Amino acid sequence: MKRISAPRRTASLSAQLVDSLRSHIESGGWPVGTRIPAEQALIEELGVGRSTLREAIGALVHLGLLEPRAGDGTYVRSSSELQSVMVRRASSAQRDNVLELRTVLEEYASGTAALRRSESQLQQLRELLADADAACAGEDTAAATSVDALFHRAVVRASGNDLLIEVYDHLGTALTSSLGGLPWDTVHAEEHAHLHRRLVDAIESREQDGAREAAAAIVQLTRDHEPRTRRAAEDR
């Protein structure tokens, strides 16, 4: 019996535009936190109608990549759908659960990095440690937090596990958003810096167990010295 030919399907213009804008965001064309161009400017640049553009923007808002702000335009909320989902999920999770997830990922990545890291990756970790010391010396909390995030991403990248790197790149924002910064005092800040140096030393020496232990200790320090008021509020 002759089979019925299935109809050929082509993506609508708005669907094509969604894919195009999503790729633009994922590639960093519109960085997270920035406001996208005004509607009329996009219409002229892309050569599409107003309704097509609004439909595409609405889809990206639904996916969590864009965020409209009344009277202030539309901003990039996330660079990927997975990141957006993870940020929302982490923000609703108990802090201990987020810290446990971070321990699992970073402990494994650190141990693997000790076995696979390159000399250039090791040098990058040393440079990030120096940047962190400079930020702390200048009491620049925002800069210190940013460098710390870059440091842990660099450790994960040194693991050489592409899938782990991709997952952590998405989870990194979720973890940072959920955990936020802590008001470290001098003693705890010094211990935090010491553990990071210990981690890099272990990675340099290719000591897998030492790297894993240092990574776990860093997360534990965060848990042990978070403000009691915040912990009590979450336990209620």
Side-chain angles (χ1 to χ4, degrees):
M1 180 181 296
K2 185 177 180 180
R3 300 184 63 183
I4 301 174
S5 298
R8 296 182 61 186
R9 296 181 175 85
T10 58
S12 66
L13 183 58
S14 63
Q16 294 178 55
L17 184 56
V18 167
D19 290 339
S20 177
L21 294 179
R22 179 165 48 192
S23 296
H24 189 66
I25 292 171
E26 290 176 348
S27 66
W30 290 340
V32 174
T34 60
R35 182 171 58 187
I36 70 173
E39 182 178 82
Q40 188 57 42
L42 286 174
I43 289 173
E44 294 174 1
E45 178 182 353
L46 300 171
V48 297
R50 193 175 305 276
S51 60
T52 297
L53 178 63
R54 288 183 175 178
E55 185 176 348
I57 295 296
L60 293 173
V61 169
H62 179 72
L63 291 173
L65 302 186
L66 296 179
E67 176 185 12
R69 300 180 186 175
D72 192 28
T74 300
Y75 285 75
V76 180
R77 180 180 182 182
S78 175
S79 62
S80 74
E81 295 157 62
L82 176 58
Q83 184 184 82
S84 176
V85 170
M86 291 309 302
V87 168
R88 290 199 302 269
R89 182 64 185 90
S91 65
S92 65
Q94 292 184 358
R95 187 178 177 84
D96 280 349
N97 289 345
V98 177
L99 287 166
E100 287 174 5
L101 175 59
R102 179 179 170 184
T103 301
V104 169
L105 294 175
E106 295 190 9
E107 185 178 344
Y108 177 82
S110 296
T112 308
L115 301 179
R116 299 176 180 172
R117 59 82 180 165
S118 66
E119 289 300 320
S120 61
Q121 289 170 330
L122 180 62
Q123 179 61 30
Q124 182 186 25
L125 291 175
R126 291 291 184 194
E127 291 173 355
L128 288 170
L129 281 183
D131 290 343
D133 288 341
C136 290
E139 298 184 349
D140 189 338
T141 303
T145 300
S146 177
V147 173
D148 188 66
L150 290 174
F151 174 86
H152 288 286
R153 280 190 170 90
V155 171
V156 174
R157 289 183 180 280
S159 73
N161 184 317
D162 290 339
L163 183 57
L164 176 60
I165 292 168
E166 182 178 357
V167 170
Y168 191 85
D169 277 345
H170 294 310
L171 281 174
T173 298
L175 296 176
T176 301
S177 299
S178 177
L179 296 178
L182 291 177
W184 299 102
D185 56 32
T186 302
V187 174
H188 296 147
E190 289 178 353
E191 177 64 13
H192 189 256
H194 168 72
L195 288 172
H196 280 69
R197 288 192 293 270
R198 198 175 101 191
L199 172 57
V200 176
D201 288 343
I203 290 175
E204 180 176 20
S205 302
R206 301 193 186 278
E207 297 176 4
Q208 184 178 22
D209 291 341
R212 290 173 65 100
E213 290 171 3
I218 290 171
V219 182
Q220 187 60 46
L221 182 68
T222 302
R223 178 66 182 91
D224 289 345
H225 299 295
E226 69 169 315
R228 292 183 178 180
T229 53
R230 176 185 294 173
R231 192 183 308 173
E234 292 191 352
D235 289 340
R236 286 198 295 268

